[in-house]
C-alpha cells in the first residue's frame, strides 16, 4: 500500500490557549503519519510509545514506516504510574531524543496519558503526537490535552495540560480492539449524544460491522472538541462531560476497579437519567430511553453494590454539607444542566432502584 492509494484524511481544527492543532480522521490515516510529521515541521528525532499488546499489531509496522524506535511498556492501567514514566525518560535519553524530538503515543488512553505526561515533562516539554488506537481514546482521552498518571492513592492524581501537535484517528485500527473495550468506548459516545447530538442515540450505530462508523467518530469527536475549546482548563462548561461520571467513578471504586470505566459510565448514564426524573427535571421517557440504549449496546444498567457504599464513594468535593450534591442532569436529550441541589436521599433512592 502506497500513500497515494490513501485518500487525504479529514481535518478538524481545535483551538487551544497554546495554539490550534488538528485532528485528522480517515481510513488508513496512520499510514500517512510520516507525511503529517513533515507537514507539521516535526523533523526532529521521533520515538513511538506503545504497549506490549500493540507493539506486534501496529507498533513494529509504524516503527518501520517512520524509521523511528519503538518504546513498549506493559499493558494495563496498573502501569500508568510515575515508575513507568521514569522508564520512558531513561529510554528517551538513551535514544538521544533532544528538545526538537517528538513523542508519538500509539495506544489507548493509558498510553496517551503516560506518553503525554512524559512529553510534557521531558526536557521541560517536547512535541507530542497522539495516535489513539482504542475507541475511547479516539473520541475522548486523546482530545483536550489532559495527560497524567495514577498514584497508589488514586487515579489521575498527577498530571499536566499538554496539547498534542496533532491527533491522527484511524478507524482501520478498531477491528482488533476486544469487544469489551469497544463496548466501553460506546459509553462515552452515548454520553456525548445525550449532551449534544440525538443522532448518536441509536444502538444500530454501535454494531461492529457498521460501515459508516467513521461518521459516528466524527460526530463524537466534534462534541468533545466543542467542549474543550469553550473551556480548555475545565473551569465551567466542560464539567458537563462528567454526565454519568459521579456515579461511574463511585461504582468503579466500590467494585475495587473490577468494573471498567466504560461499564461504570453506562450504568452512570442510566442513574443520571433516573435522577433527572426523580428531581422533576425530565419526563419518565428519558430514563427509559437511556436504559434501553445502554442495555442494547451491552453495557450494564444495574449493579449489586450497597447504595450507601456507592454514595460514600462519591468524590467528597462534590458533596455540599452532606445534604445536597452536585450532578450533571438532563432536562432532555441535548439539554444538560449542572445542579448543586440534588438531595442525597434522591441519589440513594436511584441507586436502590438500580440494584440487582
Ligand atoms: N486524558 C483524558 O482526558 C482522559 C479521558 C478519558 C480517559 N482517560 C484515561 O484513559 C484510560 C482508559 O483508556 P482506554 O479505555 O483506551 O484503555 P487502555 O489504554 O487500557 O486500552 C484498553 C485495552 O485495549 C487494548 N487496545 C487498545 N487499542 C487496541 C487495538 N486497536 N487493538 C487491540 N487492542 C487494543 C489496550 O492494549 C488495552 O489492553 C484511563 O487511564 C483513563 O484515565 C483519559
Ligand atoms: Zn469517562
Amino acid at each position: 500500500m502506497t500513500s497515494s492509494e490513501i485518500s487525504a484524511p479529514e481535518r478538524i481544527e481545535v483551538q487551544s490557549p497554546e495554539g490550534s492543532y488538528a485532528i485528522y480522521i480517515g481510513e488508513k490515516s496512520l499510514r500517512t503519519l510520516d507525511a503529517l510529521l513533515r507537514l507539521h515541521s516535526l523533523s526532529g528525532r521521533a520515538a513511538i510509545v506503545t504497549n506490549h499488546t500493540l507493539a506486534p499489531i501496529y507498533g513494529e509496522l509504524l516503527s518501520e514506516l517512520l524509521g523511528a524506535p519503538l518504546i513498549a511498556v506493559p499493558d494495563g492501567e496498573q502501569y500508568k504510574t510515575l515508575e513507568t514514566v521514569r522508564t520512558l525518560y531513561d529510554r528517551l535519553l538513551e535514544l538521544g531524543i533532544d528538545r526538537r524530538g517528538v513523542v508519538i503515543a500509539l495506544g489507548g488512553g493509558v498510553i496517551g496519558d503516560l506518553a503525554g505526561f512524559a512529553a510534557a515533562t521531558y526536557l521541560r516539554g517536547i512535541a507530542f503526537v497522539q495516535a489513539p488506537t482504542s475507541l475511547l481514546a479516539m473520541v475522548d482521552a486523546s482530545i483536550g490535552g489532559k495527560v497524567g498518571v495514577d498514584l497508589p492513592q488514586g487515579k489521575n492524581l498527577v498530571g499536566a495540560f499538554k496539547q498534542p501537535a496533532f491527533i491522527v484517528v484511524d478507524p482501520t485500527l478498531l477491528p482488533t480492539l476486544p469487544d469489551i473495550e469497544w463496548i466501553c468506548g460506546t459509553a462515552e459516545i452515548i454520553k456525548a449524544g445525550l449532551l449534544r447530538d440525538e443522532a448518536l442515540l441509536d444502538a444500530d450505530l454501535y454494531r461492529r460491522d457498521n460501515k459508516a462508523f467513521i461518521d459516528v467518530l466524527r460526530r463524537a469527536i466534534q462534541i468533545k472538541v466543542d467542549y474543550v475549546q469553550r473551556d480548555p482548563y475545565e473551569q465551567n462548561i466542560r464539567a458537563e462531560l462528567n454526565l454519568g461520571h459521579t456515579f461511574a467513578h463511585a461504582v468503579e471504586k466500590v467494585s475495587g476497579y473490577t468494573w471498567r470505566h466504560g461499564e461504570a459510565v453506562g450504568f452512570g448514564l442510566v442513574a443520571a437519567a433516573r435522577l433527572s426524573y426523580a428531581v422533576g427535571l425530565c419526563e419518565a421517557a428519558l430514563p427509559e430511553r437511556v436504559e434501553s440504549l445502554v442495555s442494547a449496546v451491552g453495557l450494564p444498567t444495574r449493579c449489586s453494590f450497597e447504595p450507601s457504599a456507592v454514595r460514600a464513594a462519591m468524590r467528597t468535593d462534590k458533596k455540599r454539607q452532606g445534604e445536597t450534591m452536585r450532578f450533571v442532569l438532563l432536562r432532555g436529550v441535548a439539554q444538560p444542566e449542572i445542579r448543586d441541589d440534588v438531595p442525597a436521599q434522591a441519589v440513594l433512592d436511584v441507586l436502590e432502584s438500580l440494584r440487582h
Side-chain angles (χ1 to χ4, degrees), residues 51 75 77 80 108-110 113 133-134 141 146 156 173 176 181:
N51 67 31
D75 186 0
E77 178 80 28
K80 201 177 101 176
V110 167
D113 280 8
T133 62
S134 72
K146 285 204 272 178
N156 300 317
L173 308 184
T176 55
E181 301 298 344

Side-chain angles (χ1 to χ4, degrees), residues 140 188 191 245 261 265:
D140 187 1
E188 302 288 357
K191 177 195 78 177
H245 279 61
H261 179 67
V265 171

